[in-house]
Amino acid sequence: MSYRISRNIEASLVDRISADLTAGSWVGIRVEKSFAQVYKGTLPCICINTLEIRPVKKEIGTKTNLKYFTVNIRIFSVNDGQRLDLSDWLLDKLEDDTTYYTYTVVNGVVSTKVAGGRIVITKWFDNSKELTNTETLAEEDRYRHLLSFECFLAD
């Protein structure tokens, strides 16, 4: 079975951010595709979700659509300083295009991934602390940050 385009975007971003964290000497930061997984492990954690696909006609009279994707990246930190450091670091890293992979899964495990283009960010929607009244929230939610953007796939 192969992932479809939205899951490939999520998995490509997970792979890229995980590799960048390791290369940047960040330790102990999990990267997840599922919001529920954030609450099953330790902090800090970065969660990546592809929210929607917005097709736009390439030109009048064609059946070809350009597909624009909205992606949210949530940072779950242990304090405001870490939240700010991780969000600044991610913003800088994501200025460069991300390699888009197509993934094949066998028995629930990725068996192959093949490069098939680039994920290009076209517009930023949000880069802010997500919740402001955090005194009574669960530990995972006290220092959340949201990065939200629009992207498309390029060759």
Side-chain angles (χ1 to χ4, degrees), residues 73-108:
I73 298 178
R74 283 189 170 82
I75 300 168
F76 295 80
S77 300
V78 297
N79 58 50
D80 272 327
Q82 184 182 63
R83 176 185 65 79
L84 289 169
D85 288 343
L86 278 171
S87 64
D88 287 349
W89 177 83
L90 264 174
L91 191 66
D92 286 345
K93 288 295 178 185
L94 292 172
E95 285 179 354
D96 295 327
D97 297 346
T98 298
T99 302
Y100 171 80
Y101 293 98
T102 55
Y103 294 80
T104 302
V105 179
V106 177
N107 297 324

Side-chain angles (χ1 to χ4, degrees), residues 24 30 52 58 60 65 78-79 92-93 115 129 135 152:
R30 296 180 302 124
E52 68 178 350
K58 186 173 180 178
I60 295 173
N65 287 303
V78 297
N79 58 50
D92 286 345
K93 288 295 178 185
K129 185 172 183 175
E135 296 84 29
F152 73 96

Side-chain angles (χ1 to χ4, degrees), residues 9 15 22 30-31 33 36 42 51 54 61 72 79 87-88 90 92 102 105-106 108 112 115 128 134 136:
I9 289 173
D15 284 354
T22 300
R30 296 180 302 124
V31 183
K33 291 185 287 185
T42 58
L51 297 180
R54 287 181 297 99
N72 278 358
N79 58 50
S87 64
D88 287 349
L90 264 174
D92 286 345
T102 55
V105 179
V106 177
T112 61
S128 64
T134 60
T136 60

Side-chain angles (χ1 to χ4, degrees), residues 8-81:
N8 283 328
I9 289 173
E10 287 178 345
S12 296
L13 286 166
V14 166
D15 284 354
R16 192 283 175 81
I17 292 170
S18 296
D20 285 349
L21 285 166
T22 300
S25 299
W26 291 84
V27 293
I29 301 174
R30 296 180 302 124
V31 183
E32 302 287 350
K33 291 185 287 185
S34 167
F35 202 87
Q37 292 301 316
V38 171
Y39 299 95
K40 293 183 180 180
T42 58
L43 296 178
C45 185
I46 297 171
C47 182
I48 299 160
N49 299 111
T50 302
L51 297 180
E52 68 178 350
I53 302 172
R54 287 181 297 99
V56 176
K57 291 287 183 201
K58 186 173 180 178
E59 54 192 32
I60 295 173
T62 184
K63 294 185 183 211
T64 303
N65 287 303
L66 300 174
K67 295 178 180 139
Y68 292 91
F69 301 85
T70 301
V71 175
N72 278 358
I73 298 178
R74 283 189 170 82
I75 300 168
F76 295 80
S77 300
V78 297
N79 58 50
D80 272 327

